[in-house]
Amino acid sequence: MTQHFQQHMKLPFRHVLLGAVASSLIMIGGAATIHAQENAPAPAATNSEAPAPVEASAETAKTAPVADGEATGDAAPAEDVAADVAPADASDAPKQANVSKPVMFDPAMVTDLARNLATQPFENPHRELPEALSGLSAEEYAQIRFKSQRAFFNPAETDFSLELFHPGTMYDVPVTINLVRGGEVQVIPFSAGLFDFGKTGLSGNDFSTQNYAGFRLRYPLSDVTSTDELTRFLGASYFRLQGQGQSIGQMARGLAVDLAGPTGEEIPVFREFWIVEPTDGSETITVYALLDSARITGAYQFDITPGTRSQADIKAHLFFRDRVEKIGIAPLNGMFLFGEQRRRFFDDYRGEVHSSDGLLINNGRGEWLWRPLDNPENLQMSSFLDENPIGFGLLQRDRNFDHYQDLEKRFDQQPGYWVTPKGKWGKGHIELVEIPSPSETNDNIVAYWVPETKPAAGGEMQVAYSVTATRDGTGLHGMAQATDTRIQRLAVQGNEDQAGTRFVLNFAGGDLDYFTKDAKNLRADISASEGEVRNIRILPDPENGGVRVIFDLVNTSDASSSNLRAFILYQDKVLSETWTMPWAF
């Protein structure tokens, strides 16, 4: 029996929405001096200190605009960008005496910055933006696009290209972005000339005192001539990763702190990046990041490899200013508004609206669990106790466009994310948080690993894992998958005083079709922690493949909820992963 429990909780939304919603994108950046030079980004000063740490204000969280659909084009050599980043007037140029000799990059520098930052007080990261930027709506902000022909990196040496995001609306924290070119650290100075401001009317404004909000990396994923988005780092510690044929969907983030806790969530942010310029046809690009929050700092390394299943190999070295009640490792953010189970109804032309439809877990005992997602009426938290987990992820299994009918969001093409721990993570639990949401603009689903040992003040932690952008998780295991969950409330029948609920589950894939030839020896193992399971049936499904499992659940006690489990066997051979779900009577 899998050791896990799934809780139903009610908490004020102000304690849970701030970090789990995509709109809570709060950034932080360095206050280090940035110099514009004639032919390249500015070299970092040898004696520059880490920018003063600052505090994120949760009260400023808003809906996050995402500038999708940017124009694409051939990447230009970094030298060609010089015209846009050079000062408009010679008097603005830095004096030669103020330019320190180049600093050669060493990953230990980022670790030292994080370690030193942890000894300093945490301060508010927000900077007052000009009204022309702070007053932008999400739609207006989306019109500010990086000029793709000005992308960094030399196309003669690499297929990667780098584009930057402009500050605006809630993106009010300057993020320092450095290039590591030939081993040398070069700060990218801010230049409004790198952006097309569309119809916002902002092209004539002077935003020279600002810095960037984040960046994206492009790569020819579709074909040799394309410039598809591979990844973006924009807001707090959020990042996205896409593989071939995938559209922008859910997000991952660097860290979650006290998410859905009674004291409110603390939102870590990436405040500075070092992007190593790839050369010689390298198929992997490396990004270093400095993370900061009120109680935690961290040095991150992302080795990002594009492909059919793009992957980010991540190393994090964390330092704790103070004790943390709950730390979430490898957090994943998704959106689930409604799906085929129809537990909540929306007046919408689309059949389903979600960026992921389930949480898949491969626990330390080798068991595969599938937990379908929900948009619950009350905040719902599920914990899956484990030791040394093998992997977990938020997946989008339903790839049928007809089920979504959304030509813009293309939920059928959005990636699922699979986390693979490296090394032994010890005891803890995978936590799934499902937040009630009336709108698809909210990322209301979060999943992450919580170590059993709580970090102490002054302590350190190192963790390594990979995040893979997959489609439906095919290839992760060879068992049949739980593909659909449909639920129907049953009316009281006859003299019975207890209403029931009917569950209709579809299992497909693996070797299931082979064994359906002998359907009489197929059986469904169904269990419930509370209530009585009745009327179990298992039927071959020639339309969808695999089998359909039907059972009724009746509450025979005063219990308020029950944990359900179901899997398929042929005689004594387990053929499927285990479907599991909490149910409130």
Side-chain angles (χ1 to χ4, degrees), residues 55 100 328 425 430 504:
E55 180 173 9
S100 303
W425 279 14
I430 294 169
V504 180

Side-chain angles (χ1 to χ4, degrees), residues 339-356:
E340 73 266 2
Q341 66 263 41
R342 301 287 187 179
R343 289 187 62 184
R344 299 182 68 187
F345 295 90
F346 292 84
D347 186 9
D348 200 300
Y349 72 92
R350 299 164 295 182
E352 301 185 36
V353 176
H354 49 74
S355 65
S356 50

